[in-house]
Amino acid sequence: AYTSADKMNMPYVQRMVNERKCGGILFFKGAPTAQAYWTNRLQDSTRIPLMVAIDGEWGIAMRVDSTVAFPHELTLGAIQDNGLIRKMGIQIGKDCKRIGVNVNFAPVVDVNNNPNNPVINDRSFGENKQLVIRLALQYMKGLQESGVMACAKHFPGLGNTAVDTHVDLPTLATPLEHVLAFDLIPYRAVIGAGIASIMATH
């Protein structure tokens, strides 16, 4: 869904909810007041509450203009105080709720182990899997304490790709043993801690 003037498609989204019984919406670009307005309008028009999602890895500013942008995950990887990451997660959760979002597609738990990676890059906490686990858990807990579903991505791990998976299909020759011992470890941790959702890679 787009609430911004250049791509605004909300009448179509409204029809999808009313006629096709769409159960979820992902907001991509727009203003906070417009998104809150449309979210309220759409929620009022359905019997079962909609799942309203956003890609808010560094806050809702990733998709919503004139809002607070937090540091990207690679920068956060330099922070030693776990409590700060948790507080950030709580605040991002509050920002989400103010505009009606109940699912945030964050945190990224990909371990960035390929310097030529064009799609994860500064969206990862880093190349150390234990660091990724530690910070992802704090971000996740902060979001979910605020009442917003967290979503770990991109399962089973995009840290080693050398192509942008939004536009091409990567082929990885990574041994299964490495995937089990490296890429999947953050997923085991966040699942064990009660993360609400997982996004498969695309």
Side-chain angles (χ1 to χ4, degrees):
Y2 292 85
T3 62
S4 59
D6 56 338
K7 290 188 175 181
M8 202 276 229
N9 66 343
M10 295 313 298
Y12 166 77
V13 174
Q14 182 79 69
R15 286 198 309 276
M16 289 295 291
V17 171
N18 293 349
E19 299 170 14
R20 300 298 180 107
K21 307 306 177 191
C22 167
I25 300 166
L26 171 63
F27 279 99
F28 254 76
K29 187 178 177 186
T33 50
Q35 185 166 325
Y37 166 80
W38 278 104
T39 299
N40 290 335
R41 180 169 165 172
L42 293 166
Q43 292 287 26
D44 286 344
S45 66
T46 183
R47 184 175 58 85
I48 299 171
L50 296 164
M51 295 183 77
V52 180
I54 197 167
D55 265 315
E57 295 166 18
W58 52 86
I60 63 172
M62 185 170 168
R63 299 295 183 194
V64 182
D65 65 33
S66 61
T67 57
V68 175
F70 291 85
H72 291 208
E73 288 189 352
L74 187 61
T75 302
L76 297 174
I79 295 176
Q80 301 300 308
D81 185 346
N82 289 348
L84 292 176
I85 307 298
R86 194 167 189 153
K87 287 178 181 177
M88 181 196 76
I90 291 170
Q91 186 58 55
I92 291 173
K94 289 178 179 178
D95 292 346
C96 286
K97 289 185 80 172
R98 289 189 72 186
I99 58 171
V101 168
N102 49 37
V103 184
N104 185 7
F105 292 156
V108 172
V109 299
D110 299 309
V111 183
N112 194 25
N113 60 339
N114 184 341
N116 296 317
N117 193 323
V119 66
I120 297 304
N121 204 310
D122 66 350
R123 298 167 64 200
S124 168
F125 288 116
E127 60 188 16
N128 181 304
K129 65 184 178 184
Q130 294 304 323
L131 174 72
V132 171
I133 289 168
R134 179 170 59 85
L135 300 184
L137 285 171
Q138 295 305 313
Y139 189 178
M140 173 205 90
K141 288 175 181 177
L143 276 176
Q144 295 189 173
E145 282 174 26
S146 296
V148 173
M149 290 175 62
C151 180
K153 61 187 187 185
H154 306 79
F155 182 86
L158 273 183
N160 194 28
T161 183
V163 301
D164 185 342
T165 52
H166 296 97
V167 296
D168 204 352
L169 181 65
T171 301
L172 301 179
T174 310
L176 178 60
E177 295 75 19
H178 178 85
V179 174
L180 293 171
F182 198 77
D183 298 301
L184 293 183
I185 294 298
Y187 291 97
R188 291 183 186 275
V190 295
I191 289 168
I195 197 157
S197 61
I198 304 285
M199 180 191 288
T201 190
H202 44 280

